[in-house]
Amino acid sequence: MSTHDGHDHDHGDGEPHPGMVGDASLGYYGTRYRAIEALLIEKGVCTLAEINATAARQETRTPMDGARMIAHAWVDPEFKQRFISDPLAAMGELGYRLPDNVVDTPKITVLENDEDVHHLVVCTLCSCYPGTLLGAPPDWYKSLAYRSRAVKDPRGVMHEFGLDLADEVEVRVQDSTADLRYIVMPKRPAGTEDMSQEQLAQLITRDSMIGVSEALEPDRSPAA
Amino acid sequence: MNGATLPKYGPGDRVRVSSEEPEGHCRTPRYVQGRQGTVRKLHGSFRNPESLAYGGTGLPRQPLYLVEFGQPELWKDYKGAAGDRLWIDLYQHWLEPLNDRRISQ
């Protein structure tokens, strides 16, 4: 235990330290999380150090990591093939440190959008998400509204994100129910031929990698 | 090793999803139960989540398939296009053969 607030841990008043027991500020899920964490450690399933290391690693991942991978795939057709066939190996190729236990890491699958098919990813049963590439999911992805409507009315959901696709385009919803995690590779927008890989990555939003929108047009890029 | 259950289906096979609801946790959403779809791909074999959820070994491993459904067939008031599809990952023990292509073709 480290000391905190600049004082030693002995309060000398016999009271438990504020924050250690029944901390209302944690809320329901925070309290539940602490209870599960304590049980996992007590039963020897894992150590606090392992939990902290995993959390720290997940916090280092952001949607920009997925965007960099896809921008690389847009400009390098051979890398794109490797990215599609083995996304984790392709991450390693770009210098990303892979999870320590790759065997137990859910397999990531790339869903490539084209003129004929547009993919949309949802996990109706919980909130499965390709965290290894994108970090933590947005809150709306975990909401009951998204999880139920994305399968039943995907075009209605996409409309609310500003995307209206022609009826000729097949909307293919991927329900992420089991051992695989899905990331969408959006289409490369027209008029981006002269852009650098770094500029292209700015067009690839988190939402476009979930499939509720497409990649940004070049003049709508935040970097433009 | 406790091995794995052998795959029974391949790409193109028509299947029906079981509607026998097990007690407890499963990874087959209600909206596809009892529905007919087409196997697109065998992902491999994975531990059975219905056992893992309760501290079991998940063995024998179950073949896991990518199964396709037509959206208008899943939702009677579907508002999208006729060609829209739903793809979902389902474990073999949830699938029943709908017909035998070797006989029907």
Side-chain angles (χ1 to χ4, degrees), chain A residues 151 155 173 175 177 179 182, chain B residues 27 31 71 84 87 89 91:
Chain A
V151 278
R155 288 176 188 262
V173 175
D175 192 352
T177 43
D179 297 78
Y182 293 93
Chain B
R27 299 293 306 177
Y31 73 88
Q71 284 280 45
D84 289 354
W87 286 24
D89 298 330
Y91 297 90

Side-chain angles (χ1 to χ4, degrees), chain A residues 172-191:
Chain A
R172 190 180 293 170
V173 175
Q174 174 71 54
D175 192 352
S176 180
T177 43
D179 297 78
L180 287 85
R181 299 292 174 270
Y182 293 93
I183 179 172
V184 175
M185 174 156 51
K187 283 182 303 177
R188 180 173 176 170

Side-chain angles (χ1 to χ4, degrees), chain A residues 38-122:
Chain A
L39 278 169
L40 288 170
I41 295 165
E42 188 183 308
K43 290 179 179 293
V45 177
C46 53
T47 66
L48 182 60
E50 286 168 342
I51 293 171
N52 288 343
T54 302
R57 193 181 59 236
Q58 285 175 348
E59 281 165 12
T60 64
R61 214 65 92 194
T62 72
M64 189 42 73
D65 296 313
R68 286 200 191 96
M69 300 278 298
I70 289 170
H72 198 111
W74 277 354
V75 301
D76 181 345
E78 287 177 12
F79 177 81
K80 181 169 125 180
Q81 288 314 311
R82 295 198 295 279
F83 179 48
I84 289 172
S85 60
D86 191 344
L88 285 179
M91 284 183 79
E93 215 180 295
L94 291 197
Y96 286 102
R97 190 174 151 253
L98 296 176
D100 296 329
N101 195 345
V102 174
V103 175
D104 284 340
T105 300
K107 193 181 161 197
I108 290 179
T109 296
V110 179
L111 304 172
E112 185 182 6
N113 285 349
D114 58 28
E115 299 302 324
D116 301 317
V117 179
H118 178 94
H119 296 86
L120 173 69
V121 179
V122 62

